Amino acid sequence: MSVGRSGFGDLRFDWIGLLFACLLTLFIALPLIVVGTWAFTEVWRYPSVIPQQFGLRFWGQTLARGDVWDALFLSLRLTTTVTILSAVICLPAAYAFARMRFPGRNILFLSFLASHAFPKFGLLVAIAGIFLQLGLISTFWGVVLIQLVGTLMLMIWIPVAAFQNVDRRMEEAARDAGATPLRVFWSITLPQAAPTISAALLLTFVGTFYETEGAWLIGAPQVRTMPVLMISFINNQIVVQYGAVLSVMLWVPSFIALIFARRVIGTGAFARGFGA
């Protein structure tokens, strides 16, 4: 059995792809392994390659801190508020962008990329100057507004693609059968777009939970989310295990989100949304 020149080329390409995949996995996984190891380490002294003693002592000490629980509940409350407001504000706008034609539509649509097209910290500093004049610095709603800005692209672009991919023939058939526009939207449009909209909501929730720059610049020192608290532990050189434990705690929402995305949203949600 002979293998042609193209076969050898394909085989070589497969091995190169596998090599890059392994390197990328190692690049991503190695820091996670190190942080996870620190979270369950009690003694790890140089030059030892592996910890001398494992244990849960620092978990108990970290979870006994009142500021950790305050930061966790604040992060959850903040993230839930931002996600709900983003859905209420952005989903109607996404539907309008998907179905309506009006002057300046394309310019407005592309404007939602502005928060990601320029250096984020510079944009946040400019917004912070405005918030300072409005008395929103170090307030819960100030952080909500600054994080809401960061959700616009996800909550506009992804739902727009979902609404554009809805089968118009089903909508027209329902209208011909006498259904009202609201009934058509509720029974035909929304069920088809719902998986991809759920994906956008999920990404918004997770991204807001981990957002750090805006929460730190606008919220400090009164509003301290979990990421901001973790950074303060690291900057103040508090026991390294405290920061590692908080890092592991921050992974939990992502893990739950991935399970939700896999079982509820389904693997085809993004394909259906971006297929427009």
Side-chain angles (χ1 to χ4, degrees):
M1 182 176 180
S2 61
V3 179
R5 181 174 299 178
S6 61
F8 280 117
D10 292 340
L11 184 62
R12 189 184 310 115
F13 183 79
D14 290 342
W15 278 104
I16 293 175
L18 179 61
L19 176 62
F20 276 108
C22 292
L23 291 175
L24 181 61
T25 301
L26 181 63
F27 179 79
I28 295 174
L30 187 59
L32 299 179
I33 294 173
V34 172
V35 173
T37 302
W38 267 113
F40 297 95
T41 295
E42 294 187 1
V43 179
W44 193 357
R45 298 190 181 94
Y46 179 83
S48 177
V49 178
I50 61 175
Q52 288 86 4
Q53 182 178 342
F54 290 96
L56 298 175
R57 176 164 59 94
F58 289 102
W59 278 85
Q61 293 181 7
T62 304
L63 295 178
R65 297 177 61 103
D67 54 354
V68 170
W69 290 105
D70 290 341
L72 176 60
F73 291 132
L74 175 61
S75 292
L76 292 174
R77 184 161 60 95
L78 185 67
T79 302
T80 302
T81 303
V82 171
T83 303
I84 293 174
L85 287 177
S86 183
V88 170
I89 295 170
C90 295
L91 290 182
Y95 185 84
F97 277 116
R99 298 300 180 90
M100 298 174 63
R101 296 294 181 268
F102 49 87
R105 173 184 177 274
N106 292 334
I107 295 176
L108 287 174
F109 189 50
L110 291 174
S111 69
F112 293 106
L113 284 174
S115 61
H116 296 268
F118 302 99
K120 183 178 179 181
F121 195 77
L123 179 64
L124 292 177
V125 170
I127 295 176
I130 299 174
F131 280 16
L132 182 62
Q133 300 298 321
L134 298 175
L136 292 172
I137 297 296
S138 295
T139 65
F140 176 85
W141 290 106
V143 178
V144 167
L145 290 176
I146 199 66
Q147 292 188 334
L148 196 60
V149 172
T151 68
L152 293 180
M153 190 183 76
L154 282 176
M155 289 301 296
I156 292 290
W157 279 62
I158 296 179
V160 163
F163 287 130
Q164 288 177 338
N165 204 39
V166 170
D167 190 345
R168 298 290 185 92
R169 293 171 299 180
M170 295 180 63
E171 294 179 328
E172 293 171 357
R175 291 297 303 274
D176 292 340
T180 63
L182 181 61
R183 180 61 182 271
V184 172
F185 177 80
W186 186 259
S187 301
I188 304 296
T189 307
L190 190 58
Q192 293 187 52
T196 307
I197 292 175
S198 298
L201 289 170
L202 177 67
L203 291 173
T204 298
F205 186 91
V206 174
T208 304
F209 188 83
Y210 292 117
E211 200 279 329
T212 305
E213 292 178 337
W216 173 75
L217 186 63
I218 302 299
Q222 299 299 324
V223 181
R224 290 203 301 177
T225 61
M226 282 283 282
V228 172
L229 181 63
M230 183 181 67
I231 290 176
S232 70
F233 282 176
I234 296 172
N235 289 341
N236 295 330
Q237 297 183 349
I238 298 178
V239 181
V240 65
Q241 283 89 338
Y242 288 174
V245 170
L246 287 184
S247 296
V248 174
M249 292 176 64
L250 285 170
W251 294 344
V252 174
S254 290
F255 181 73
I256 296 175
L258 289 174
I259 294 177
F260 178 81
R262 179 66 181 85
R263 297 186 178 181
V264 179
I265 298 176
T267 56
F270 286 101
R272 288 193 296 270
F274 286 108

